[in-house]
Amino acid sequence: NAEYGDDALAKSVRLLIVDEVHLLHEDRGPVIESLIARTLRLVEQTQSMIRIIGLSATLPNYRDVGQFVLANPDTGIHYFDNSYRPVPLSQEFIGIKEKNPVKRKAAMNEVCFEKVSNRVRQGYQCMVFVHSRKDTYNTAKALIELAQEKELSNIFQCSEINSLAYNTALTEIGKSKNRELRDIFHKGFAIHHAGMLRPDRNMVERYFEKGFIQVLVCTATLAWGVNLPAHTVIIKGTELYNPEKGTFVDLGMLDVMQIFGRAGRPQYDTSGEALMITTHDKLHHYITLLNHQMPIESQFINRLSDHLNAEIVLGTVANIVDAVKWLSYTYLYIRMRANPQAYGIKYNDLEADFDLIQRRQELIISAARRLDKCQMIRFDEKSGNFFTTDLGRTASHFYIQHETVETFNENINSSMTDADIFNIVSLASEFENVMVRDDELDELSELENNDCFLDVKGGETNR
């Protein structure tokens, strides 16, 4: 946190626990990395005692992360393999050979239904993970239709259908504003995704725990954020849309392991079951990754300019020398030495400069020049000193990315209308993942025509 200064941290914090530390590999990783690096540097400078604990259920190169948090390699790193799992886990991978997208989707639904119906017959609950909010309802609906076709709808009905608790649940679900949830709950199905209202998600979690829901179709947010296990967990499909790349990408192995970790309920089951339904050509890829997991890499370079600005604003970095030293506390530094080619470093360069002082200096100078161009700092290249600006302080305080500041600098002028200002704000890089969905166009058009008193550039299709 840019406001969380050294004094406050040193005086108030004695233990820093970083849960899901493998998120170093994700887009949010640079924030975790910056926070830990700042803490490590603070401990060294002030000689205060702050203990750092990193936790993860899916961390292949745990020794690298242990080195990052300065854990004792002999006594400070603890690895728990599958023998420690309270419930043994079986894993199954199923490949669909069908090439036609429509037929392939239908085949996946058919296989998914076969697995789900078998487990529900045996008295187990199932979670089916899909990769879009829209697909949660579509999959639940497809499974319900298959149950009706095969005259198996009754096996999904709650066994406590006449109980007061179940009828209370029906009444509560009936008051939900989520039409899709109301439509399927009484059939033994439910959906869960981040687009639902928090009270609706809470209800679904509560009633799944009580056994009123036999099949819960959800997105990966449930695996990351909520401790809600089931006997059988199914991943249906492994392609998900990446808005930044504008294309479909494969589900990451860390997500797969996190989802599989939801299988098996320690207090109820003696075993757990995890299944993946994917295309036949991806089977080998996932089985290989499962047996030989790839190490997690640092994403810090992608957001280096913003975190350098935060350190300059805090006063912890005043020049190139400070900044180069600061980078030595990062996970980026650990991985650049362990896997230099992933960061564009030749092995010859690493041998000539094992501490990578030259490479770190190049990264800092490049980042500082970007910040100087955005007027977020003043960078004196002769002396190597950094000087903060009001714009840099504002950006750090409100977590505004330097790309957004650059956009504002290039487009804002004194003759702009209110509509122009709103349009420029919408160009902020923080909003680049916000997409207009087809099913939202009618509502957006109605809002533009009836409620919006400003001109919307590009109309309702302009995100």
Side-chain angles (χ1 to χ4, degrees), residues 74 375 414:
D74 297 319
Q375 301 172 38
S414 58

Side-chain angles (χ1 to χ4, degrees), residues 95-215:
I96 305 296
K97 292 183 177 180
E98 181 60 60
K99 300 293 183 184
N100 181 284
V102 176
K103 291 181 179 179
R104 183 170 64 235
K105 190 172 185 179
M108 284 188 175
N109 285 335
E110 189 78 42
V111 172
C112 184
F113 177 78
E114 180 189 336
K115 296 296 181 182
V116 162
S117 57
N118 286 341
R119 298 304 171 267
V120 171
R121 273 199 196 98
Q122 295 168 10
Y124 297 127
Q125 290 174 291
C126 301
M127 281 186 190
V128 179
F129 284 87
V130 295
H131 311 298
S132 73
R133 298 172 183 182
K134 187 177 180 181
D135 203 28
T136 55
Y137 179 65
N138 289 344
T139 296
K141 195 175 177 183
L143 295 176
I144 290 169
E145 287 172 356
L146 284 167
Q148 291 169 343
E149 283 176 24
K150 300 175 189 294
E151 298 183 350
L152 292 173
S153 299
N154 61 310
I155 68 171
F156 296 98
Q157 292 284 345
C158 175
S159 59
E160 301 177 43
I161 195 166
N162 295 317
S163 70
L164 177 61
Y166 180 73
N167 282 287
T168 302
L170 275 179
T171 303
E172 196 173 350
I173 291 288
K175 295 176 183 176
S176 167
K177 294 181 181 179
N178 191 309
R179 179 189 58 79
E180 296 171 342
L181 183 58
R182 295 198 309 268
D183 185 42
I184 63 176
F185 179 79
H186 65 283
K187 297 171 184 176
F189 289 76
I191 58 174
H192 188 292
H193 58 72
M196 295 169 62
L197 296 174
R198 168 49 67 186
D200 287 342
R201 279 182 283 162
N202 288 342
M203 274 196 296
V204 169
E205 292 161 19
R206 189 164 67 250
Y207 294 143
F208 186 81
E209 280 190 291
K210 289 184 177 181
F212 298 163
I213 298 164
Q214 303 309 309
V215 180

Side-chain angles (χ1 to χ4, degrees), residues 183-255:
D183 185 42
I184 63 176
F185 179 79
H186 65 283
K187 297 171 184 176
F189 289 76
I191 58 174
H192 188 292
H193 58 72
M196 295 169 62
L197 296 174
R198 168 49 67 186
D200 287 342
R201 279 182 283 162
N202 288 342
M203 274 196 296
V204 169
E205 292 161 19
R206 189 164 67 250
Y207 294 143
F208 186 81
E209 280 190 291
K210 289 184 177 181
F212 298 163
I213 298 164
Q214 303 309 309
V215 180
L216 178 58
V217 187
C218 49
T219 57
T221 51
L222 186 65
W224 287 105
V226 183
N227 184 22
L228 193 67
H231 177 272
T232 299
V233 165
I234 299 173
I235 299 175
K236 196 197 81 158
T238 53
E239 276 194 344
L240 63 155
Y241 184 74
N242 185 318
E244 291 181 6
K245 296 180 179 178
T247 186
F248 285 90
V249 297
D250 291 332
L251 181 68
M253 202 61 211
L254 290 179
D255 287 304

Side-chain angles (χ1 to χ4, degrees), residues 2 34 38 41 304-320 322-323 326 364 367-369 371-372 376-379 384-389 392-393 396:
S34 177
R38 187 183 301 166
R41 194 159 179 242
L304 178 57
S305 295
D306 295 318
H307 290 289
L308 175 60
N309 179 58
E311 298 299 325
I312 294 170
V313 169
L314 270 177
T316 55
V317 167
N319 50 51
I320 291 175
D322 287 347
W326 164 64
I364 291 298
R369 284 173 177 165
L371 292 173
D372 185 80
M376 294 168 69
I377 67 167
R378 285 288 165 256
F379 175 33
N385 291 329
F386 305 137
F387 305 95
T388 189
T389 66
R393 280 189 287 271
S396 177

Side-chain angles (χ1 to χ4, degrees), residues 193-368:
H193 58 72
M196 295 169 62
L197 296 174
R198 168 49 67 186
D200 287 342
R201 279 182 283 162
N202 288 342
M203 274 196 296
V204 169
E205 292 161 19
R206 189 164 67 250
Y207 294 143
F208 186 81
E209 280 190 291
K210 289 184 177 181
F212 298 163
I213 298 164
Q214 303 309 309
V215 180
L216 178 58
V217 187
C218 49
T219 57
T221 51
L222 186 65
W224 287 105
V226 183
N227 184 22
L228 193 67
H231 177 272
T232 299
V233 165
I234 299 173
I235 299 175
K236 196 197 81 158
T238 53
E239 276 194 344
L240 63 155
Y241 184 74
N242 185 318
E244 291 181 6
K245 296 180 179 178
T247 186
F248 285 90
V249 297
D250 291 332
L251 181 68
M253 202 61 211
L254 290 179
D255 287 304
V256 172
M257 296 305 297
Q258 190 74 19
I259 292 170
F260 277 10
R262 287 285 169 260
R265 303 169 301 168
Q267 65 272 45
Y268 303 114
D269 298 334
T270 55
S271 65
E273 181 182 34
L275 300 96
M276 174 189 283
I277 306 171
T278 184
T279 54
H280 192 266
D281 60 327
K282 297 286 175 61
L283 271 182
H284 179 71
H285 167 73
Y286 280 105
I287 292 171
T288 302
L289 284 180
L290 185 67
N291 294 325
H292 308 282
Q293 291 183 44
M294 300 295 288
I296 65 166
E297 299 293 349
S298 170
Q299 306 300 314
F300 199 63
I301 288 178
N302 299 332
R303 298 256 56 94
L304 178 57
S305 295
D306 295 318
H307 290 289
L308 175 60
N309 179 58
E311 298 299 325
I312 294 170
V313 169
L314 270 177
T316 55
V317 167
N319 50 51
I320 291 175
V321 175
D322 287 347
V324 169
K325 176 70 173 173
W326 164 64
L327 276 187
S328 70
Y329 294 90
T330 63
Y331 184 61
L332 169 66
Y333 177 61
I334 303 291
R335 288 305 299 166
M336 280 198 301
R337 295 204 298 179
N339 187 18
Q341 288 185 315
Y343 302 89
I345 302 169
K346 297 177 181 177
Y347 278 106
N348 292 342
D349 296 336
L350 182 63
E351 288 177 0
D353 182 15
F354 185 70
D355 291 330
L356 294 172
I357 294 173
Q358 183 66 34
R359 176 59 173 160
R360 283 186 278 152
Q361 191 167 327
E362 289 170 1
L363 289 171
I364 291 298
I365 290 173
S366 176

